[in-house]
Amino acid sequence: MPKLEFSDAANFISALKSQSTFASRGTKAYTDLHELLDNLCVLYLSVPDEQRAQIRNLAAQSSPTIGNQLLGHIGWSGEQARSSKDGEWVRRGLAAASIEDNRSDYRDMFRALGGLYLAASSVGIDCSRYFQEAAELSSAQHGRSPLVGSMRAFLAKFEQSAYFNSDVRPRIGKYLSPRVRTEILNVLADIWDPLEVRNGKHSRNEYASYVDDVYELLVKDPTDARITNHLCQTARQRMEMEPPPSTSRAVRTLQAINLSEDPA
C-alpha cells in the first residue's frame, strides 16, 4: 500500500466511512480496513504536533463510524504485537487511541487499551514507555467527559487508573491461550459436567461458552468459594441443572491450571 501523505489525510479519513466497521476477523474486508487505519496511524506518528491536531479534528468531524474503527484498530494492533513480538505495533495502536481522543465512551477506550496492554505484555513487551510516548503526542485539551480529562492525561496515567489495577494488572503474564482454553474446557466437560457429556447427552462444545467467564474469575478472584459459587450459579441459572458432586474436584483442578504463558 502506498505511503499516506498528510495532504491526502482529509480525503483518506472521509473514505474510511465506506469501510465496514464490524467485518468479521479473517475476512478481506477486516484486513483491508485495518491496513488502511494502520496507514493513518503511521502518518500520525510521523508528522508534527500541528498536523497531528488536524488529523484528530478531521476524525472528530467525520462520522462516529471512524471512532468505532479506531477503537477496533487498537485491538487489531494488539493482535499484531502478540504475533510479531514487536513493540512498534503498540505505538500504532496507541496512535489510534490518540486520534480517537476519547470522543466516544471512555469505558470502551479503557477496555481497548487494556486488551492492547495485555496482548503486548503476554509476549514480553514493556508497554510503559509507549504509553508515555503516546501521551506526549496526544491532545492536552479536555475531552467530552470531565471524568477523564485530556487524552494526554488519560494515557499518561493509564497504569495508575482504577481500571488498570482491577482489570489489567492482575492479568499481566496471564493470557487465555489455546492451551489454557483447552484445559479449562477439559475440566468443565470431563470433571464438572452437569450436562452429562460423558454419557453422550450433549456435546463437549456445550461448555465452550462458559470458558471465558471461568478464566476471568481465575485471574481476578481465584478463591475456592468464589469459583464454587460461580459454577453452582452457572449450573442452576444458565443450564437449569443441579451442581454435580464433582464441583469441588473441578474447583481444585481449575485452581491448578498454570495461567501464565512463556513469552519465548
Side-chain angles (χ1 to χ4, degrees):
M1 184 177 296
K3 180 181 177 182
L4 177 63
E5 301 294 338
F6 179 75
S7 58
D8 299 322
N11 289 334
F12 184 89
I13 291 173
S14 179
L16 282 171
K17 291 185 291 186
S18 65
Q19 298 291 316
S20 174
T21 301
F22 302 108
S24 300
R25 284 192 174 107
T27 64
K28 186 176 185 299
Y30 179 83
T31 301
D32 288 348
L33 169 63
H34 290 291
E35 286 182 351
L36 288 171
L37 289 165
D38 192 57
N39 229 6
L40 180 64
C41 292
V42 170
L43 172 66
Y44 185 80
L45 290 168
S46 69
V47 297
D49 286 344
E50 181 181 347
Q51 291 182 345
R52 274 194 291 271
Q54 291 181 53
I55 291 173
R56 291 194 296 268
N57 289 334
L58 287 168
Q61 293 164 11
S62 190
S63 79
T65 298
I66 305 299
N68 291 329
Q69 291 171 342
L70 289 165
L71 284 170
H73 193 65
I74 299 170
W76 185 85
S77 298
E79 295 171 5
Q80 308 312 305
R82 184 162 54 227
S83 62
S84 68
K85 302 182 182 179
D86 187 350
E88 174 63 21
W89 290 108
V90 180
R91 293 183 72 235
R92 297 184 188 185
L94 291 171
S98 183
I99 296 169
E100 198 278 338
D101 202 24
N102 257 341
R103 289 189 170 88
S104 54
D105 192 325
Y106 69 91
R107 291 168 293 188
D108 292 335
M109 181 60 74
F110 268 131
R111 286 188 286 269
L113 292 177
L116 174 64
Y117 199 106
L118 288 168
S121 64
S122 74
V123 292
I125 297 172
D126 182 358
C127 293
S128 296
R129 66 184 182 93
Y130 294 114
F131 272 75
Q132 298 308 312
E133 176 192 86
E136 291 300 314
L137 303 180
S138 299
S139 173
Q141 296 181 354
H142 278 230
R144 289 177 55 188
S145 172
L147 296 175
V148 295
S150 70
M151 195 62 183
R152 179 171 296 181
F154 189 87
L155 292 173
K157 298 177 180 178
F158 179 74
E159 292 173 303
Q160 289 79 50
S161 67
Y163 172 83
F164 185 89
N165 287 325
S166 65
D167 286 59
V168 180
R169 190 181 300 282
R171 297 172 60 183
I172 293 174
K174 302 178 178 71
Y175 169 62
L176 185 50
S177 65
R179 174 190 64 78
V180 174
R181 181 177 290 280
T182 298
E183 289 191 29
I184 294 174
L185 179 60
N186 288 345
V187 174
L188 297 181
D190 297 337
I191 298 176
W192 186 47
D193 196 25
L195 296 175
E196 299 186 52
V197 163
R198 286 166 295 177
N199 294 336
K201 293 188 176 182
H202 294 276
S203 164
R204 288 171 59 85
N205 288 337
E206 291 289 333
Y207 291 108
S209 63
Y210 305 109
V211 169
D212 290 273
D213 288 343
V214 171
Y215 171 74
E216 291 292 328
L217 192 58
L218 288 172
V219 168
K220 295 175 66 174
D221 192 7
T223 64
D224 286 356
R226 286 295 301 273
I227 298 170
T228 299
N229 184 58
H230 175 78
L231 292 180
C232 290
Q233 286 189 346
T234 298
R236 292 190 178 106
Q237 298 176 9
R238 297 176 66 181
M239 300 177 181
E240 298 183 350
M241 306 287 290
E242 281 301 306
S246 59
T247 298
S248 59
R249 181 183 164 211
V251 170
R252 291 194 301 271
T253 310
L254 287 169
Q255 290 277 42
I257 294 174
N258 179 12
L259 303 180
S260 299
E261 291 297 307
D262 182 357

